[in-house]
Amino acid sequence: MPLPLLLFDCDGTLVDSEPLLAEEMAVGLNSVGLPFKSTDYLGEFRGARFRRIVAELQQRYGNVDEDQLASMEHTMRTSLANRLTSELKAIPGAHESLEVLQNYPSAVVSNGPESKIHTALQATGLAAYFGKRLFSGYTANCWKPEPCLHLHAASIMGFAASDCIAIDDALVGVRAALQAGMTVIHLNRYPDAETTPEGAIMISNMYQLPPVVERLTHEKWQMPVPQHSIEK
């Protein structure tokens, strides 16, 4: 039996892009008359697809011309890509965890566009761990919190959902992977403000990931794995 497939979220799980994304969203959305603060993303909308956020804001504040929205989104994503290239950092412990777990099959599963995933991984030196194994909601035409993106990635990689471990920091991703029937590890970096859904395993930082994955591999898949430890 092969090792389980590890499906990593990108933003907030591997790379610390969410503060940059929230700032650029606030600039863009306010420019078209949709009130939005960066704290709104980090509080209410974290992990959600951008157009889902736009749709919710339009319900609250009124519709915006589609051409104006498209132009704003293009400008926002261009600015964000520039900032990711120069400012983005990996989540603490991401490099160390991926190094320890490099013998596991793995992929990235993200609601973001594939170009954004690629830029983020390149900027933080994480791209080599995944190669071309990047699964975007925009490419698959399905987004978290629906389970279809996780199921799509597992199918392309040749794994049943029951043989996958999904790692995600956002509740939309955790719930999507649970609904897909996967083992789920919730990187809950805000345990005082956020509750891990029932059925998911909580860790509070990426340094804790390897021993949890290895324990699951031994207990659920009955496979021996090398024992590792990393220090924060």
Side-chain angles (χ1 to χ4, degrees), residues 64 67 97 110-111 154 179 192:
V64 177
D67 289 341
S97 290
S110 172
N111 272 354
Q179 191 175 345
D192 293 337

Side-chain angles (χ1 to χ4, degrees), residues 40-85:
D40 293 336
Y41 177 78
L42 297 172
E44 182 179 359
F45 294 109
R46 195 159 58 85
R49 179 190 177 196
F50 180 65
R51 280 303 178 119
R52 186 179 177 199
I53 297 172
V54 170
E56 176 61 31
L57 293 177
Q58 288 190 105
Q59 281 193 337
R60 298 177 188 180
Y61 304 114
N63 290 332
V64 177
D65 177 76
E66 186 59 34
D67 289 341
Q68 191 179 6
L69 283 174
S71 176
M72 176 273 291
E73 183 173 357
H74 175 76
T75 300
M76 180 199 76
R77 292 198 182 281
T78 299
S79 179
L80 178 61
N82 291 334
R83 293 190 68 184
L84 292 178
T85 300

